Amino acid sequence: MIFGPPGSGKGTQAKLLRDLLKIPHISTGDMLREHTSHGDGLGVDAESWMRSGRLVPDATVDRLVEERLLQPDCAGGAILDGYPRTIEQARSLKAVLSRLGMSQLVIHLKVDYTKVIVRIAGRRQCARCGLLYNLVANPPKEPGICDRDGEPLVIRDDDRESVVRERLETYERQTSPVLDFLAGSGSKLCEVEGNDASPAEILQRIRDCMVLR
Ligand code: AMP
C-alpha cells in the first residue's frame, strides 16, 4: 500500500514496484479515470467529486478494489496506490484482506506540501498508457510526446492549482488520519523520505525499508 499526499510520487513508485515485484498495480485514481473516460454511470457520478478535489464515496471505491483484488492475478499480492484514503476504506480493506488471507505493508512517502504544489504543476501524463512525466525532474525526450508510445501528454483536470490545494486539504482532513489508524491496528509501516531524490533513489529507500521489516 503506497500512502502519501497528491504529488508525493505514489504513482511513479507503484509502477516501479509493479515492474520489480511482478504483481499488479491497483490505482483507484486510474480506475476511476477509466470509468469517467468511458462516460459510464460510475464515471459520471465520480467525475464531479474528482473535479472538485474531493473524495469519491467510500462504497464506490471499496467495491472497485474488492472486485479487483478477487481477480486471479492478485493471488500473489498487489500494490495499492491511492487506497485506502479514509478510515472507512481502511476498515473495508482489512476485512477483504483477512478473507483473502493477505497481510498489508504500508509505505508512507513523506514530502513537503510546498514541493508537492510545484511538482504537480509540472506533471504530465500519457493520454494512452498513463506513464507519468515531470517537466523538471523527468521530462519526455520530445516535448509533449510520450517516450513509450508517441501519444500526446496531457495535464489532468484535477492537477490545476486550485484543485490541488483542495486535494491537499482533503488529504490532511480525511486521509492522513488513516496512517495512525493503520499503525494502531498493527500494520507494518515503512516511513520513506520522498523529498529531493530521484525516483530510483526513492525506490531504493523503499526496498531497504521492506527488507528491514
Ligand atoms: P489520484 O490519481 O490517486 O490522485 O486520485 C484522483 C482523484 O480520484 C482523487 O482526488 C479522488 O477524487 C479520486 N479518488 C482516487 N482514489 C480514491 C479513493 N481511494 N477514495 C475516494 N476517492 C478517490
Side-chain angles (χ1 to χ4, degrees):
M1 191 188 292
I2 312 223
F3 205 91
S8 56
K10 294 190 298 291
T12 301
Q13 292 303 322
K15 290 184 179 82
L16 293 171
L17 282 167
R18 170 199 63 195
D19 295 344
L20 184 74
L21 303 173
K22 314 269 185 264
I23 54 175
H25 166 207
I26 302 178
S27 155
T28 42
D30 286 349
M31 287 165 107
L32 291 166
R33 278 184 288 279
E34 213 174 303
H35 281 280
T36 58
S37 73
H38 289 149
D40 58 29
L42 193 157
V44 171
D45 278 353
E47 195 163 14
S48 58
W49 300 97
M50 294 170 79
R51 273 181 182 277
S52 62
R54 286 173 299 160
L55 295 182
V56 173
D58 291 334
T60 306
V61 275
D62 287 344
R63 206 180 60 243
L64 282 178
V65 173
E66 178 171 3
E67 283 171 6
R68 184 65 190 89
L69 283 173
L70 289 171
Q71 305 281 315
D73 62 334
C74 293
I79 299 151
L80 290 173
D81 160 13
Y83 181 91
R85 265 172 149 112
T86 65
I87 290 181
E88 258 326 292
Q89 291 178 19
R91 288 208 175 97
S92 164
L93 176 66
K94 208 165 180 230
V96 173
L97 293 182
S98 84
R99 261 193 286 138
L100 292 171
M102 288 183 179
S103 57
Q104 58 192 26
L105 170 71
V106 185
I107 297 162
H108 177 207
L109 292 178
K110 296 188 296 177
V111 292
D112 296 342
Y113 287 2
T114 44
K115 300 217 162 123
V116 157
I117 295 186
V118 174
R119 222 185 250 189
I120 292 184
R123 183 151 77 179
R124 300 291 181 275
Q125 186 166 31
C126 174
R128 180 196 273 173
C129 73
L131 198 63
L132 289 167
Y133 295 84
N134 187 283
L135 298 185
V136 182
N138 173 33
K141 293 197 183 89
E142 202 182 321
I145 302 290
C146 179
D147 296 347
R148 191 192 277 164
D149 56 20
E151 290 291 313
L153 302 182
V154 295
I155 304 179
R156 276 167 40 179
D157 274 350
D158 61 351
D159 275 351
R160 299 180 200 275
E161 191 171 326
S162 61
V163 183
V164 170
R165 289 188 190 281
E166 180 61 38
R167 287 167 67 200
L168 283 171
E169 271 177 41
T170 302
Y171 178 82
E172 205 35 57
R173 203 174 51 245
Q174 289 178 273
T175 306
S176 71
V178 176
L179 206 54
D180 292 334
F181 171 83
L182 292 169
S185 59
S187 295
K188 293 179 196 140
L189 178 64
C190 286
E191 295 279 3
V192 174
E193 186 57 60
N195 289 312
D196 304 323
S198 68
E201 286 164 332
I202 295 172
L203 178 66
Q204 190 55 50
R205 290 176 191 168
I206 294 175
R207 294 180 71 175
D208 291 345
C209 187
M210 286 171 78
V211 171
L212 294 175
R213 294 298 326 178

